[in-house]
Structures are given as structure tokens and as C-alpha cells.
Amino acid sequence: MDVIELLPHLHLLRFPVGQAYLWRDGDESTLIDAGPAGSAAPIAARVEGQLRRIVLTHFHEDHVGGAAELAAVTGAEVLAHRLDALAVRGEVPGPPPVFEDWERPLHAEALRHLPQGEFARPPKLTELSEGDVLDFGGGARVVHVPGHTPGSLALHLPEHGVLFTGDAVAASPFDGKVMLGVFNVDRAQALDSFAKLAALGANLACFGHGDPIMGPWTPPPA
């Protein structure tokens, strides 16, 4: 796991597939996404003070795989959007992506770097909805951004101008340009969600894949 400081109180945690973000308020921390299975120990080693909560942006294994173990070790509350909650808990399979042809080899390559087999699921989960405000970062507003999954969510911290997009938005690994996240269940919804996030005008956008960026961006063509 690579650790990159973005702000004095914000660090990016990068895994072979995907990434998470650790936000610190005084002696309490919040984790946005939890990495794939096996990530709990290295994440716990980076936490200063108490890990208060783990917010999951959606149900995919590279974002939720470490959540159950990390919650067991730290006592952190685990939160996810209500429309992805059953899939996060492993009670139902999540809907599969509708792949663009060019996405299929990318998906196969990502699977090659993820742990194989089932992983532990959070036994308890707090369900979130659009407009909920979480008690960190001066008030983190939950933004429902369906399309990548039905219950994908973003977190907007207006006081700090920071936005965590999950996989609704990504940065290209080739040129760093902002792009629509890949492997979506509904491309039309995903495009609408992208535009919704772009309109927030955050100063720092933190993606589930790719380097964070400073400043505004524009939606891609439909």
C-alpha cells in the first residue's frame, strides 16, 4: 500500500487496484473506502487516534474487501448507501456492469490483481441516503450518484472544497484527464451523476481510481 499526503489531514491510500482516503479530524479519523481483502492491517497501521467510521462509496470488492476486518479491529462504524447495502453485506449479488467493448480487457486485468474468493462482509451497516450529513470534515454531505452501481455515493466537504467521487469519476492512467468511471451498470445514469458532481465545483476531487485533481472539470460527451 502506498501512502500519499494530499493535505495535512488527508492521505490517499493506494492499492494494486483502487484506492481509499483517510481523513483526520483531531484524534478521530474517517476512511472513505476500505480497499480489497487483506488491506485492513496496513490501513490500521496508518490510522492516528480512533477510526470513527468507514464510508463505502459502493459495493465492489476493491472498495469493501477490507471493511469487515478493519471494523472488527477498530470498532469503526461502516456506512453505505441504502441501495447498495444488501450487496455490501453479501446478502444478494450486486448487478453486473454493462461493459463497453474496450472495458473488457481492463476488467480482466483488474481481476488478476484482486484476491480471489469470498471475503468477510460487515455484520453491521448504517444505511445512507442523498443529503445525509456526516460528522467529519466540517460536515460531509452524502451525494447519491447512481450509474456505476445503483447505490454509488460521493461525499462533498463544502468547508474544505473536497469531493470524494468513488468510481463515478476517474482520472485516466495514461494522461491524467478526468473521465467517466468505467464498468457502469447504467451509462446514462453515470453521465448524469458525473455532471451532478462536476457542478459542485470542488477544489480537490478524489477519485476511486487515478490521481486526484485540483480545480473544476467538465462532463464527457454522452
Side-chain angles (χ1 to χ4, degrees):
M1 181 183 79
D2 296 327
V3 180
I4 301 167
E5 181 177 299
L6 303 177
L7 300 169
H9 46 278
L10 174 61
H11 288 78
L12 182 157
L13 311 179
R14 180 164 285 159
F15 309 100
V17 178
Q19 50 209 28
Y21 295 89
L22 188 63
W23 179 279
R24 189 180 73 253
D25 285 307
D27 60 356
E28 290 188 351
S29 295
T30 295
L31 184 69
I32 296 93
D33 286 324
S39 302
I43 292 174
R46 295 296 311 185
V47 174
E48 298 178 12
Q50 178 192 9
L51 184 62
R52 178 72 179 275
R53 63 184 67 79
I54 303 166
V55 185
L56 303 173
T57 61
H58 61 289
F59 69 77
H60 289 156
E61 59 266 39
D62 55 323
H63 295 257
V64 309
E69 184 182 356
L70 193 57
V73 169
T74 64
E77 178 185 18
V78 183
L79 308 93
H81 193 276
R82 59 182 181 81
L83 294 181
D84 269 18
L86 290 176
V88 169
R89 289 193 292 258
E91 296 174 15
V92 300
V98 179
F99 291 114
E100 304 286 322
D101 288 343
W102 62 270
E103 292 178 332
R104 295 182 185 280
L106 294 179
H107 188 255
E109 179 65 14
L111 289 179
R112 195 171 69 83
H113 293 282
L114 287 171
Q116 300 302 303
E118 188 50 54
F119 53 89
R121 301 289 185 155
K124 295 181 180 180
L125 191 68
T126 299
E127 297 186 10
L128 299 171
S129 297
E130 168 81 15
D132 288 346
V133 178
L134 306 181
D135 187 21
F136 76 94
R141 185 169 69 88
V142 174
V143 185
H144 183 210
V145 285
H148 184 65
T149 68
S152 285
L153 65 80
L155 292 173
H156 184 212
L157 281 58
E159 182 175 310
H160 298 273
V162 174
L163 177 65
F164 301 99
T165 72
D167 284 2
V169 186
S172 168
F174 304 109
D175 59 14
K177 291 183 179 179
V178 179
M179 58 180 283
L180 185 69
V182 296
F183 315 153
N184 299 303
V185 299
D186 187 317
R187 179 176 171 81
Q189 277 193 333
L191 286 167
D192 287 344
S193 292
F194 189 110
K196 180 179 181 179
L197 293 177
L200 294 175
N203 297 324
L204 174 62
C206 301
F207 310 129
H209 299 270
D211 292 334
I213 66 156
M214 303 289 292
W217 72 87
T218 57

